[in-house]
Each structure stands twice: as structure tokens, then as C-alpha cells.
Amino acid sequence: MKVWPGTPFPLGAVYDGAGTNFSIFSEIADRVELCLFDENGDEVRLDLPEVTGFCWHGYLPTVEPGQRYGYRVHGPWDPANGHRCNPSKLLLDPYAKAISGQLQRDEAVFPYPFDKGADTISDTDSAPFIPKSVVHQPHFDWTGDRRLHLPWHETIIYETHVKGFTMKHPGIPDELRGTYAGLGHPASIDYFQDLGVTAVELMPVHQFVNDMHLVDKGLSNYWGYNSICYFAPHDEYAADRRAGAAVAEFKQMVKAFHQAGIEVIIDVVYNHTAEGNHEGPMLCFKGIDNAYYYRLTDDRRYYMDYTGCGNTLNMRNPHVLQLLMDSLRYWVQQMHVDGFRFDLASALARELHDVDRLSSFFDIIQQDPLISQVKLIAEPWDVGEGGYQVGNFPPLWSEWNGKYRDCMRDFWRGEDQVLEQLASRFTGSSDLYENTSRLPYASINFITAHDGFPLIDLVSYNEKHNEANGEDNQDGEDHNRSWNCGKEGPTDDPAIIELRNRQKRNFLATLLLSQGVPMLLGGDEIGRTQQGNNNAYCQDNEISWYDWENADEALLSFCQRLIQFRRDHAVLRRRRWFQGRPIHGSDIKDIAWFNVDGKQKAEAEWEEAYDKTLGIFLYGKSIPNPNPKADPIIDDSLYIILNAHHEAIEFTLPGPKWGEHWVGVIDTARGGFLEEKEAFAAGANLTVAGRSLVLLLQKEDSEKP
């Protein structure tokens, strides 16, 4: 088979309708073999004939979509200097748009023999055990699809897992469960629309592999934070099992979401790869150019590990930055996703050792005309020293606000000295974001996320119960800020059950009434439990799959109504910060804080350690920013009462200048939304049950302040 010279760019395998151009970067290689595989697994090896700027390339006029392939890189095996080239090991293409097959557990996939240690080269062929890159079909009918560009302040995120959401959904056909096609099925789309969310945030969909130590235990990397290819959608989530078919199936899913007015955000893991440390397998980068792609220690046999996963990609090298930026552009341009959530994003900012806000990665995103315009969300921490960076990301970025999560959990479980911080978190965390010219939507607010307890477990367990993970309950977070309401785990005690239900409503109501962008953990709205497991990353089973059969319909209805209430009231979705000062010369403020006696809270009173109550006035009649057509936004004023004490407390409403007439809308101690609205006059007293939230709406016929 004759190999034409081809071109160095674009990298990867690119089909042009007549043949396929192959190109791969390696600064250290002496020779690169392209390996083609037929349906029987038989291999043909061809030398790439050209090298331009360290990109090895060639063109094959006979190769079409569906062709399986890989690479063998010849070069130095010199672990002491960080070089680990081993042509006995088949390597995935870093730019492959599709992958076929899964990694199999065999010593051959490791670059060294187990009995001789990681510095000794292995000559055992790994090809039978390695997934194959696939030449993909780039053409897809996107007719009618458009990017939604939903404003940040209108966004409500639903974090979910492709398989977890669909695996037991009764409306999804059996053959589509666990797949992109299942998530894009009308039954799924209808659910998201009925719930009212505006964006789904998918846990990792880049091709990933299962950790060997999990396979040995009969487990798997269910969450998928073990990426090995940043362009290919994970092929196990495809209902169509033909090689490369996952690409079109993912695109069709995105198209279905867009037609329903819902954006798609994907969780990306650019901080590390599945190859692990010096004792890990050789799958891709390690064999292509180990010292270029990874950050190594002074002893270059070993890897810097800011992720807890064995390695960290080297963001200081231009071809690594190019790989990540090319991946981001591909997912926006070709896969039509609307944004990204960056796992352990602080690791991406480590130019040397310290986290650097002005690192090359963020500079490049800032100036990129495409990526800078989509939704960018940072998980603002990693596991290295100084890695907790909540509030320190550049202006374009929103962040998972871990301080919001911790504060709200502490408040509702009755911790002391939380009130002052709660006021900041409830109003968008201006203390974290305003000084970088960011707005309230920089704060992605959440109570729960995939990592940790789901909502029902947060109110049912004091301790983690991770025995099923096979690590003697040593894995997972020990400090959960959870409270079991009086008994660990399941109970038949009606008082405890009622309290837990109230606490779930408290958390959801607080989340949806706060300024910023709410993120709901998928399944929380139906009462999904992980049976006390707060680190279910390896549980591809009923522990993680949504239990639709036993869905809490009352909680679901409450959540739907909360989301609709938020969407109906612009005062909950402000684009600018509250000022806490009088509006237009009057003595009415845009926000005001009250004690139980109906008087405004004085500065010194915020420091009262045992105070667990707060009244919050939100002025809706004059919102500072107009709507997209430059019309003024007029909304109802709201009064929100929070009582985290264990017993009922009598509250006095503020005086008439704040609103003469109020009507009760939500009372979490009385089931949530009130079907029979109770009216209150200014200065009236009302009893608020222990550990509950009450929301009052200023009546439309009341006089303006």
C-alpha cells in the first residue's frame, strides 16, 4: 500500500471524501508506524513518510470512515530522562474523533514487565488488548440547529450522567438505555422541559478507560474522570455499535436538546489522563512523547501529580495547549456543545508550581474568538498545595462555588456563626467575584453534586458508607457537613421522615431563590439515594442509576414549581449586584435584612454567634438593568424568612413602607407551595416552624413604596 506524503495539519485522521490524511506530533520520535486493522484484528503497518515541524504525516487514498487504526512510535526508551517510547505498544491517536473497543486487562498494555519493574522495557505486543482509533465520518445534517446563547442569568443547570439518567427510565426503549440516543429520546427531553432546566451538564463523555485496580475488583470507572482521548465521544454510550457511530449519535442528541431550547454543557478532564504514573499503562501520550506531554519531577522517572490520579498534563508546552484548544473548538464547532465545565481547573493554571491566574491556558481562551463566547465553568480547585482557588479565576469564567455549598449545608444543619456568610452567598457572593468585574452569575450555586452525597443522603447520613467501593470505607470525603436528622440511614420514624422532607425542601428552595446560577444534581428532585455512599465513582449499578420507579413525586412537583417561580420572577435573576442602598432617593433599598422583630439588622448584630434566623426583603419594582429590548423590568417584591433553629419562632413583618400587604407563597414546613394563600398586613406576626423557609409575595394591589 503506497503512502502519499500528505500534510502535517490538521492533526489526526481526516477523511476528505477521497482518502484520509494522518498526522501525529512527536518531538522525540525516530520513526512512526501507522497501523491499520481489519475486522478480524489483522494488522498492516505503514511508515509515515514525512515529518514537518515534528508532525509525522501521510495520506492514504483508499482509507474511508470506519477504518480502525493506531500508531507505534519508535524512539528512545530512557526513563531516567523521561523518555518511554516502546514500539511494542499500540497507541491511540490523541486527535482521534472516534474510538472502538475497550481496554482489556493484560500485562501487555503496560510498557514494562511486571517482574522487572517500571524502568525495564517490555517487548510484548499490546495491540490485541488496546481500543482502536477510528476514521470518523465528518458529515452530519445540522439543518435547523442553532446555538441558543441563553443568558447566564437565565440559566438553570442540571448535572447528570448519560447512563445513570437513562438506564432505568421507563419511557426509554430498552435498547436505548444507557446511551446518547436514550438521553436525546423524547421521553428524556420532555422530562427536562417539564422540570424547567435550561442546560444539561453531562459528566465526562470524552473516551475514557476503566482503572485496572477497579477491574480487578469487578468495578468500573462509572463517572468517567479517566479520559484518554479529548475528541472522541465515549463509545460505550452509543446505541449504534458500529465503529465511529458514536459521533453522529452524540450530535443527534445535541440537536434534540437544542430543538427543545436546552443547552448542552460537557464536563472535561484536561488536567490528567488515564495513563497514570510511571507504573500505569501505555495507551497514548506516554508512548508518543512522555516528557513533552506530562509534567515530570526533578527525577524524570516520576510525574507531578496535582490531581490525585497519577499525572498532570504539561500546560507549559505549546502542542499540549494546542491539543486542548483544538479539542475545545472541535466540540463547539463540530459537536455543537454550548459550554464546558473544567474538572480540577486549578491544575490547568499551574505554570510552575503555584496556581497562576494569568497562565497560558487562560490567556489563550481569553483571546480565542470562539471559545471565549461559550459557557466556561471552573471547578476551582485541585488536590495540590494552594489548589483551592474559589473566586480567583479570570473574568470570563463562572465557578462551582464550593463556599456556597458549605455555607448552606452548615446553616440548615444549625451551625453557629454562619449568618453573615449566608447573606453573601445568597446574593451571589460579591465578596468572591465583584472585584474581578464579574457579575452574580459567576457563582454556580449548588448544594450537592456528583461528588458527595445526593440530597436525600445529605439529610439521612452523618457518616459516609462506602464499603461497596472495596476500599474499607477509606475513600471519599470525611467532612460532609451532613445531618441525619436523628437516625443514621433509613427509618420508619414519621417525625424524622417529615424533618428530612422539610430539609430537602429547605435546600432546594434556598438554591432556587439565591442570586447566581443554580445547579441541580440530577436525581435530587426525585429523591435518588446512593445508600450513604459519598464517592460512587465506581458504582455502575443501582447505587448510581436513577430509581424512576420509586421517584418522590411530591418532591419533583415542588422542584418544578420552584424552577418556574424563579423563571417568573426577575428579582431572583438579577444581572447586577444588589447595592443595599435606597432606590431613586427613597428610603427603600433594593435589598434589606431583618431580625425576627421586623427591624433592620444592625451591623453589629451580624456577629451574634447563635443567631439562626433572617428576614430578607428583595425589592422588585425597580431592577437596575432593562430587558433585551431595553424595556424596564418590573417584578413583585419578595420577603423570605429563614429559620434554622430547631423550634418555631414568631416573626414580625417589616413596617408598611416595605409593603403594606403580603401573601404567603411557600412554607417548607407545610409541604412547600401553599394552595390556600394566607394574607398578612405590614407589621403582622407569623409563626415560622423550626428549620423551615417561608416566602411572602407583595400583593399586586398594594401601594408602591
Side-chain angles (χ1 to χ4, degrees), residues 264-320:
V264 177
I265 299 168
I266 62 172
D267 196 335
V268 291
V269 190
Y270 293 125
N271 51 73
H272 76 281
T273 79
E275 292 186 297
N277 61 19
H278 62 288
E279 295 181 334
M282 180 172 284
L283 310 174
C284 183
F285 307 98
K286 186 180 288 185
I288 295 171
D289 198 333
N290 182 67
Y292 191 94
Y293 278 106
Y294 294 116
R295 296 196 60 172
L296 305 179
T297 65
D298 291 339
D299 184 341
R300 295 177 66 77
R301 293 177 300 168
Y302 305 116
Y303 297 79
M304 298 289 290
D305 183 11
Y306 294 112
T307 65
C309 299
N311 63 53
T312 305
L313 280 176
N314 193 347
M315 307 301 296
R316 295 175 293 180
N317 285 335
H319 275 277
V320 180

Short mmCIF file of all heavy atoms in Angstrom, two decimals, residues 264-320:
data_model
loop_
_atom_site.label_atom_id
_atom_site.label_comp_id
_atom_site.label_asym_id
_atom_site.label_seq_id
_atom_site.Cartn_x
_atom_site.Cartn_y
_atom_site.Cartn_z
N VAL A 264 -26.36 22.23 26.05
CA VAL A 264 -25.58 21.07 26.47
C VAL A 264 -24.19 21.54 26.87
O VAL A 264 -23.46 22.14 26.08
CB VAL A 264 -25.47 20.02 25.35
CG1 VAL A 264 -24.58 18.85 25.78
CG2 VAL A 264 -26.85 19.51 24.95
N ILE A 265 -23.84 21.29 28.13
CA ILE A 265 -22.51 21.59 28.67
C ILE A 265 -21.85 20.26 28.99
O ILE A 265 -22.50 19.36 29.53
CB ILE A 265 -22.63 22.45 29.94
CG1 ILE A 265 -23.30 23.79 29.61
CG2 ILE A 265 -21.27 22.67 30.59
CD1 ILE A 265 -23.71 24.59 30.84
N ILE A 266 -20.58 20.12 28.64
CA ILE A 266 -19.91 18.84 28.93
C ILE A 266 -18.78 19.06 29.94
O ILE A 266 -18.12 20.09 29.96
CB ILE A 266 -19.37 18.14 27.66
CG1 ILE A 266 -18.31 18.99 26.95
CG2 ILE A 266 -20.52 17.83 26.71
CD1 ILE A 266 -17.61 18.25 25.82
N ASP A 267 -18.61 18.07 30.79
CA ASP A 267 -17.57 18.06 31.83
C ASP A 267 -16.29 17.52 31.20
O ASP A 267 -16.27 16.39 30.70
CB ASP A 267 -18.04 17.16 32.97
CG ASP A 267 -17.26 17.36 34.25
OD1 ASP A 267 -16.11 17.79 34.17
OD2 ASP A 267 -17.81 17.07 35.33
N VAL A 268 -15.23 18.33 31.20
CA VAL A 268 -13.99 17.93 30.52
C VAL A 268 -12.85 17.77 31.52
O VAL A 268 -12.74 18.52 32.48
CB VAL A 268 -13.61 18.94 29.41
CG1 VAL A 268 -14.61 18.86 28.27
CG2 VAL A 268 -13.56 20.37 29.94
N VAL A 269 -12.01 16.77 31.25
CA VAL A 269 -10.95 16.40 32.19
C VAL A 269 -9.61 16.57 31.49
O VAL A 269 -8.99 15.61 31.05
CB VAL A 269 -11.14 14.94 32.68
CG1 VAL A 269 -10.19 14.64 33.85
CG2 VAL A 269 -12.58 14.70 33.09
N TYR A 270 -9.16 17.83 31.38
CA TYR A 270 -7.91 18.13 30.70
C TYR A 270 -6.72 18.16 31.67
O TYR A 270 -5.61 18.47 31.25
CB TYR A 270 -8.00 19.49 30.00
CG TYR A 270 -8.98 19.53 28.84
CD1 TYR A 270 -9.99 20.48 28.80
CD2 TYR A 270 -8.87 18.64 27.78
CE1 TYR A 270 -10.87 20.55 27.73
CE2 TYR A 270 -9.75 18.69 26.71
CZ TYR A 270 -10.75 19.65 26.69
OH TYR A 270 -11.62 19.70 25.63
N ASN A 271 -6.95 17.87 32.92
CA ASN A 271 -5.87 18.00 33.90
C ASN A 271 -4.97 16.77 33.98
O ASN A 271 -3.82 16.86 34.38
CB ASN A 271 -6.44 18.33 35.27
CG ASN A 271 -7.54 17.37 35.68
OD1 ASN A 271 -7.28 16.21 36.02
ND2 ASN A 271 -8.78 17.83 35.65
N HIS A 272 -5.49 15.60 33.62
CA HIS A 272 -4.70 14.38 33.66
C HIS A 272 -5.26 13.40 32.63
O HIS A 272 -6.31 13.65 32.03
CB HIS A 272 -4.72 13.75 35.05
CG HIS A 272 -6.02 13.03 35.35
ND1 HIS A 272 -7.16 13.70 35.74
CD2 HIS A 272 -6.35 11.71 35.31
CE1 HIS A 272 -8.15 12.82 35.92
NE2 HIS A 272 -7.67 11.61 35.68
N THR A 273 -4.57 12.28 32.44
CA THR A 273 -5.07 11.25 31.53
C THR A 273 -5.12 9.90 32.26
O THR A 273 -4.66 9.76 33.39
CB THR A 273 -4.16 11.09 30.29
OG1 THR A 273 -3.00 10.32 30.65
CG2 THR A 273 -3.74 12.45 29.73
N ALA A 274 -5.65 8.93 31.55
CA ALA A 274 -5.85 7.59 32.12
C ALA A 274 -4.55 6.78 32.21
O ALA A 274 -4.58 5.65 32.68
CB ALA A 274 -6.87 6.82 31.29
N GLU A 275 -3.42 7.35 31.77
CA GLU A 275 -2.18 6.57 31.78
C GLU A 275 -1.52 6.50 33.16
O GLU A 275 -0.57 5.73 33.35
CB GLU A 275 -1.20 7.14 30.75
CG GLU A 275 -1.68 6.92 29.32
CD GLU A 275 -0.66 7.35 28.29
OE1 GLU A 275 -0.32 8.55 28.24
OE2 GLU A 275 -0.19 6.48 27.52
N GLY A 276 -1.99 7.33 34.10
CA GLY A 276 -1.49 7.23 35.45
C GLY A 276 -0.03 7.59 35.59
O GLY A 276 0.54 8.34 34.78
N ASN A 277 0.62 7.03 36.62
CA ASN A 277 2.02 7.37 36.91
C ASN A 277 2.97 6.43 36.18
O ASN A 277 2.58 5.78 35.20
CB ASN A 277 2.25 7.37 38.42
CG ASN A 277 2.00 6.01 39.04
OD1 ASN A 277 1.97 4.98 38.38
ND2 ASN A 277 1.80 5.99 40.36
N HIS A 278 4.22 6.35 36.64
CA HIS A 278 5.25 5.55 35.97
C HIS A 278 4.90 4.06 35.95
O HIS A 278 5.48 3.31 35.15
CB HIS A 278 6.60 5.76 36.64
CG HIS A 278 6.64 5.35 38.08
ND1 HIS A 278 5.99 6.05 39.07
CD2 HIS A 278 7.25 4.29 38.69
CE1 HIS A 278 6.20 5.46 40.23
NE2 HIS A 278 6.94 4.39 40.04
N GLU A 279 3.98 3.65 36.80
CA GLU A 279 3.58 2.25 36.82
C GLU A 279 2.27 2.01 36.08
O GLU A 279 1.73 0.91 36.10
CB GLU A 279 3.46 1.76 38.27
CG GLU A 279 4.79 1.76 39.02
CD GLU A 279 4.67 1.25 40.44
OE1 GLU A 279 3.56 1.38 41.01
OE2 GLU A 279 5.66 0.73 40.98
N GLY A 280 1.76 3.03 35.43
CA GLY A 280 0.49 2.92 34.72
C GLY A 280 0.65 2.34 33.32
O GLY A 280 1.77 2.11 32.84
N PRO A 281 -0.46 2.11 32.64
CA PRO A 281 -0.43 1.53 31.30
C PRO A 281 0.10 2.53 30.27
O PRO A 281 0.17 3.73 30.52
CB PRO A 281 -1.89 1.18 31.04
CG PRO A 281 -2.66 2.19 31.85
CD PRO A 281 -1.84 2.39 33.10
N MET A 282 0.44 2.04 29.09
CA MET A 282 0.84 2.88 27.97
C MET A 282 -0.26 2.80 26.91
O MET A 282 -0.46 1.76 26.29
CB MET A 282 2.18 2.43 27.38
CG MET A 282 2.64 3.28 26.20
SD MET A 282 4.32 2.88 25.65
CE MET A 282 5.29 3.69 26.92
N LEU A 283 -0.96 3.90 26.75
CA LEU A 283 -2.12 3.92 25.88
C LEU A 283 -2.00 4.96 24.77
O LEU A 283 -2.58 4.79 23.70
CB LEU A 283 -3.39 4.23 26.70
CG LEU A 283 -3.60 3.41 27.97
CD1 LEU A 283 -4.81 3.92 28.74
CD2 LEU A 283 -3.76 1.94 27.62
N CYS A 284 -1.28 6.05 25.03
CA CYS A 284 -1.29 7.16 24.08
C CYS A 284 -0.07 8.06 24.31
O CYS A 284 1.02 7.78 23.81
CB CYS A 284 -2.59 7.94 24.23
SG CYS A 284 -2.82 9.30 23.08
N PHE A 285 -0.25 9.13 25.07
CA PHE A 285 0.75 10.18 25.23
C PHE A 285 2.08 9.66 25.79
O PHE A 285 3.14 10.12 25.40
CB PHE A 285 0.22 11.28 26.15
CG PHE A 285 -1.12 11.82 25.75
CD1 PHE A 285 -2.28 11.36 26.35
CD2 PHE A 285 -1.22 12.79 24.76
CE1 PHE A 285 -3.51 11.86 25.98
CE2 PHE A 285 -2.45 13.30 24.39
CZ PHE A 285 -3.61 12.83 24.99
N LYS A 286 2.00 8.72 26.70
CA LYS A 286 3.20 8.20 27.36
C LYS A 286 4.17 7.61 26.34
O LYS A 286 5.39 7.76 26.47
CB LYS A 286 2.81 7.17 28.41
CG LYS A 286 3.95 6.66 29.27
CD LYS A 286 3.48 5.64 30.30
CE LYS A 286 2.68 6.30 31.41
NZ LYS A 286 2.33 5.32 32.49
N GLY A 287 3.63 6.94 25.33
CA GLY A 287 4.48 6.32 24.32
C GLY A 287 4.79 7.23 23.15
O GLY A 287 5.73 6.97 22.39
N ILE A 288 4.03 8.33 22.99
CA ILE A 288 4.27 9.26 21.88
C ILE A 288 5.39 10.22 22.20
O ILE A 288 6.33 10.40 21.42
CB ILE A 288 2.98 10.03 21.55
CG1 ILE A 288 1.90 9.06 21.02
CG2 ILE A 288 3.24 11.13 20.53
CD1 ILE A 288 0.54 9.69 20.86
N ASP A 289 5.31 10.85 23.37
CA ASP A 289 6.36 11.79 23.80
C ASP A 289 6.11 12.12 25.26
O ASP A 289 5.61 13.18 25.61
CB ASP A 289 6.33 13.05 22.94
CG ASP A 289 7.63 13.84 23.04
OD1 ASP A 289 8.30 13.74 24.08
OD2 ASP A 289 7.97 14.56 22.08
N ASN A 290 6.48 11.20 26.13
CA ASN A 290 6.15 11.28 27.55
C ASN A 290 6.63 12.57 28.20
O ASN A 290 5.89 13.25 28.92
CB ASN A 290 6.78 10.08 28.27
CG ASN A 290 6.46 10.03 29.74
OD1 ASN A 290 5.31 9.84 30.13
ND2 ASN A 290 7.48 10.21 30.58
N ALA A 291 7.88 12.96 27.96
CA ALA A 291 8.45 14.13 28.62
C ALA A 291 7.85 15.43 28.10
O ALA A 291 7.98 16.47 28.76
CB ALA A 291 9.96 14.15 28.43
N TYR A 292 7.22 15.40 26.96
CA TYR A 292 6.59 16.60 26.41
C TYR A 292 5.17 16.77 26.95
O TYR A 292 4.78 17.86 27.35
CB TYR A 292 6.55 16.53 24.88
CG TYR A 292 6.16 17.84 24.23
CD1 TYR A 292 7.13 18.74 23.81
CD2 TYR A 292 4.83 18.18 24.04
CE1 TYR A 292 6.78 19.95 23.22
CE2 TYR A 292 4.47 19.38 23.45
CZ TYR A 292 5.45 20.27 23.05
OH TYR A 292 5.09 21.47 22.47
N TYR A 293 4.42 15.70 26.99
CA TYR A 293 3.00 15.79 27.34
C TYR A 293 2.76 15.89 28.84
O TYR A 293 1.76 16.46 29.27
CB TYR A 293 2.23 14.60 26.78
CG TYR A 293 1.85 14.76 25.33
CD1 TYR A 293 2.51 14.05 24.33
CD2 TYR A 293 0.84 15.64 24.96
CE1 TYR A 293 2.16 14.20 22.99
CE2 TYR A 293 0.48 15.80 23.63
CZ TYR A 293 1.14 15.08 22.66
OH TYR A 293 0.79 15.25 21.33
N TYR A 294 3.65 15.34 29.67
CA TYR A 294 3.40 15.28 31.11
C TYR A 294 4.40 16.13 31.89
O TYR A 294 5.55 16.33 31.48
CB TYR A 294 3.48 13.84 31.61
CG TYR A 294 2.38 12.95 31.08
CD1 TYR A 294 2.67 11.87 30.26
CD2 TYR A 294 1.05 13.21 31.39
CE1 TYR A 294 1.66 11.05 29.77
CE2 TYR A 294 0.03 12.40 30.90
CZ TYR A 294 0.35 11.32 30.09
OH TYR A 294 -0.66 10.52 29.61
N ARG A 295 3.95 16.61 33.04
CA ARG A 295 4.84 17.31 33.96
C ARG A 295 5.58 16.27 34.79
O ARG A 295 4.96 15.43 35.46
CB ARG A 295 4.04 18.25 34.86
CG ARG A 295 3.36 19.37 34.07
CD ARG A 295 2.92 20.49 34.95
NE ARG A 295 4.05 21.10 35.65
CZ ARG A 295 3.96 22.21 36.38
NH1 ARG A 295 2.80 22.82 36.50
NH2 ARG A 295 5.01 22.70 36.98
N LEU A 296 6.89 16.34 34.75
CA LEU A 296 7.73 15.38 35.45
C LEU A 296 8.43 16.05 36.62
O LEU A 296 8.61 17.27 36.65
CB LEU A 296 8.76 14.79 34.49
CG LEU A 296 8.20 14.16 33.20
CD1 LEU A 296 9.34 13.64 32.32
CD2 LEU A 296 7.21 13.04 33.52
N THR A 297 8.82 15.25 37.58
CA THR A 297 9.56 15.76 38.73
C THR A 297 11.03 15.95 38.35
O THR A 297 11.45 15.65 37.23
CB THR A 297 9.44 14.80 39.92
OG1 THR A 297 10.09 13.56 39.58
CG2 THR A 297 7.98 14.53 40.27
N ASP A 298 11.83 16.41 39.30
CA ASP A 298 13.26 16.55 39.05
C ASP A 298 13.87 15.20 38.69
O ASP A 298 14.76 15.12 37.84
CB ASP A 298 13.96 17.15 40.27
CG ASP A 298 13.58 18.60 40.50
OD1 ASP A 298 13.12 19.25 39.53
OD2 ASP A 298 13.73 19.08 41.64
N ASP A 299 13.43 14.15 39.36
CA ASP A 299 13.78 12.80 38.94
C ASP A 299 12.77 12.42 37.86
O ASP A 299 11.62 12.11 38.14
CB ASP A 299 13.68 11.83 40.13
CG ASP A 299 14.12 10.42 39.76
OD1 ASP A 299 14.15 10.10 38.55
OD2 ASP A 299 14.41 9.63 40.68
N ARG A 300 13.17 12.47 36.62
CA ARG A 300 12.24 12.46 35.50
C ARG A 300 11.63 11.09 35.23
O ARG A 300 10.87 10.93 34.26
CB ARG A 300 12.92 13.02 34.25
CG ARG A 300 13.29 14.51 34.46
CD ARG A 300 14.03 15.11 33.28
NE ARG A 300 13.21 15.20 32.08
CZ ARG A 300 12.28 16.13 31.86
NH1 ARG A 300 12.02 17.04 32.80
NH2 ARG A 300 11.63 16.14 30.73
N ARG A 301 11.89 10.14 36.09
CA ARG A 301 11.15 8.87 36.00
C ARG A 301 9.73 9.03 36.53
O ARG A 301 8.86 8.21 36.23
CB ARG A 301 11.86 7.79 36.81
CG ARG A 301 13.22 7.37 36.25
CD ARG A 301 13.87 6.36 37.17
NE ARG A 301 14.08 6.91 38.51
CZ ARG A 301 14.42 6.17 39.57
NH1 ARG A 301 14.56 4.86 39.45
NH2 ARG A 301 14.61 6.74 40.74
N TYR A 302 9.49 10.11 37.30
CA TYR A 302 8.24 10.25 38.03
C TYR A 302 7.46 11.47 37.56
O TYR A 302 7.99 12.38 36.93
CB TYR A 302 8.51 10.33 39.53
CG TYR A 302 9.31 9.15 40.04
CD1 TYR A 302 10.59 9.33 40.57
CD2 TYR A 302 8.80 7.86 39.96
CE1 TYR A 302 11.33 8.25 41.02
CE2 TYR A 302 9.54 6.77 40.41
CZ TYR A 302 10.81 6.98 40.94
OH TYR A 302 11.54 5.90 41.38
N TYR A 303 6.18 11.51 37.95
CA TYR A 303 5.24 12.51 37.44
C TYR A 303 4.79 13.45 38.56
O TYR A 303 4.56 13.03 39.70
CB TYR A 303 3.99 11.82 36.86
CG TYR A 303 4.28 10.95 35.67
CD1 TYR A 303 4.80 9.67 35.82
CD2 TYR A 303 4.02 11.39 34.37
CE1 TYR A 303 5.07 8.86 34.73
CE2 TYR A 303 4.29 10.60 33.27
CZ TYR A 303 4.82 9.33 33.46
OH TYR A 303 5.08 8.54 32.37
N MET A 304 4.65 14.73 38.22
CA MET A 304 3.97 15.67 39.11
C MET A 304 2.49 15.28 39.13
O MET A 304 1.90 15.01 38.08
CB MET A 304 4.11 17.10 38.61
CG MET A 304 5.54 17.60 38.56
SD MET A 304 6.26 17.86 40.20
CE MET A 304 5.34 19.29 40.74
N ASP A 305 1.90 15.28 40.31
CA ASP A 305 0.50 14.84 40.42
C ASP A 305 -0.30 15.84 41.24
O ASP A 305 -0.31 15.80 42.46
CB ASP A 305 0.46 13.45 41.07
CG ASP A 305 -0.96 12.90 41.16
OD1 ASP A 305 -1.87 13.49 40.54
OD2 ASP A 305 -1.15 11.88 41.86
N TYR A 306 -0.96 16.77 40.53
CA TYR A 306 -1.83 17.74 41.18
C TYR A 306 -3.28 17.29 41.19
O TYR A 306 -4.16 18.04 41.59
CB TYR A 306 -1.73 19.09 40.47
CG TYR A 306 -0.37 19.75 40.60
CD1 TYR A 306 0.45 19.90 39.49
CD2 TYR A 306 0.08 20.20 41.83
CE1 TYR A 306 1.70 20.50 39.60
CE2 TYR A 306 1.34 20.80 41.95
CZ TYR A 306 2.14 20.95 40.82
OH TYR A 306 3.38 21.54 40.94
N THR A 307 -3.53 16.08 40.71
CA THR A 307 -4.90 15.62 40.50
C THR A 307 -5.28 14.43 41.35
O THR A 307 -6.46 14.09 41.44
CB THR A 307 -5.10 15.25 39.02
OG1 THR A 307 -4.27 14.11 38.71
CG2 THR A 307 -4.72 16.41 38.11
N GLY A 308 -4.30 13.76 41.95
CA GLY A 308 -4.57 12.54 42.68
C GLY A 308 -4.79 11.35 41.77
O GLY A 308 -5.22 10.29 42.23
N CYS A 309 -4.47 11.51 40.49
CA CYS A 309 -4.71 10.45 39.50
C CYS A 309 -3.42 9.97 38.84
O CYS A 309 -3.46 9.25 37.85
CB CYS A 309 -5.69 10.92 38.44
SG CYS A 309 -7.30 11.38 39.10
N GLY A 310 -2.28 10.41 39.36
CA GLY A 310 -1.01 9.87 38.89
C GLY A 310 -0.20 10.77 38.00
O GLY A 310 1.03 10.66 37.94
N ASN A 311 -0.84 11.67 37.24
CA ASN A 311 -0.09 12.53 36.34
C ASN A 311 -0.82 13.86 36.15
O ASN A 311 -1.97 14.02 36.55
CB ASN A 311 0.15 11.85 34.99
CG ASN A 311 -1.15 11.54 34.23
OD1 ASN A 311 -1.98 12.42 34.02
ND2 ASN A 311 -1.32 10.29 33.82
N THR A 312 -0.13 14.81 35.52
CA THR A 312 -0.70 16.11 35.19
C THR A 312 -0.19 16.50 33.82
O THR A 312 1.02 16.43 33.56
CB THR A 312 -0.28 17.19 36.21
OG1 THR A 312 -0.64 16.76 37.53
CG2 THR A 312 -0.95 18.52 35.91
N LEU A 313 -1.09 16.91 32.93
CA LEU A 313 -0.65 17.34 31.60
C LEU A 313 0.19 18.61 31.73
O LEU A 313 -0.04 19.46 32.59
CB LEU A 313 -1.85 17.61 30.70
CG LEU A 313 -2.50 16.38 30.06
CD1 LEU A 313 -3.73 16.77 29.28
CD2 LEU A 313 -1.52 15.64 29.15
N ASN A 314 1.16 18.74 30.82
CA ASN A 314 2.10 19.86 30.88
C ASN A 314 1.59 21.03 30.05
O ASN A 314 1.84 21.13 28.84
CB ASN A 314 3.48 19.41 30.38
CG ASN A 314 4.56 20.42 30.71
OD1 ASN A 314 4.27 21.55 31.09
ND2 ASN A 314 5.81 20.00 30.59
N MET A 315 0.89 21.94 30.71
CA MET A 315 0.26 23.06 30.01
C MET A 315 1.28 24.11 29.56
O MET A 315 0.91 25.08 28.91
CB MET A 315 -0.79 23.71 30.90
CG MET A 315 -1.82 22.75 31.46
SD MET A 315 -2.72 21.91 30.16
CE MET A 315 -3.53 23.28 29.39
N ARG A 316 2.55 23.93 29.91
CA ARG A 316 3.56 24.91 29.51
C ARG A 316 4.04 24.68 28.09
O ARG A 316 4.71 25.55 27.52
CB ARG A 316 4.75 24.85 30.48
CG ARG A 316 4.40 25.26 31.90
CD ARG A 316 5.58 25.07 32.85
NE ARG A 316 5.92 23.66 33.02
CZ ARG A 316 6.92 23.22 33.78
NH1 ARG A 316 7.67 24.10 34.43
NH2 ARG A 316 7.17 21.94 33.91
N ASN A 317 3.74 23.53 27.50
CA ASN A 317 4.23 23.22 26.16
C ASN A 317 3.19 23.54 25.09
O ASN A 317 2.02 23.21 25.25
CB ASN A 317 4.63 21.75 26.08
CG ASN A 317 5.94 21.48 26.81
OD1 ASN A 317 6.78 22.39 26.96
ND2 ASN A 317 6.14 20.26 27.26
N PRO A 318 3.59 24.17 24.00
CA PRO A 318 2.62 24.69 23.02
C PRO A 318 1.76 23.62 22.37
O PRO A 318 0.58 23.86 22.11
CB PRO A 318 3.50 25.42 22.00
CG PRO A 318 4.90 24.93 22.23
CD PRO A 318 4.97 24.58 23.67
N HIS A 319 2.31 22.45 22.08
CA HIS A 319 1.49 21.43 21.43
C HIS A 319 0.46 20.83 22.39
O HIS A 319 -0.57 20.33 21.96
CB HIS A 319 2.37 20.33 20.82
CG HIS A 319 2.87 20.67 19.45
ND1 HIS A 319 2.13 20.47 18.31
CD2 HIS A 319 4.04 21.23 19.05
CE1 HIS A 319 2.82 20.87 17.26
NE2 HIS A 319 3.98 21.34 17.68
N VAL A 320 0.74 20.88 23.69
CA VAL A 320 -0.27 20.44 24.66
C VAL A 320 -1.39 21.46 24.72
O VAL A 320 -2.58 21.11 24.72
CB VAL A 320 0.36 20.22 26.05
CG1 VAL A 320 -0.70 19.77 27.06
CG2 VAL A 320 1.49 19.19 25.98
#
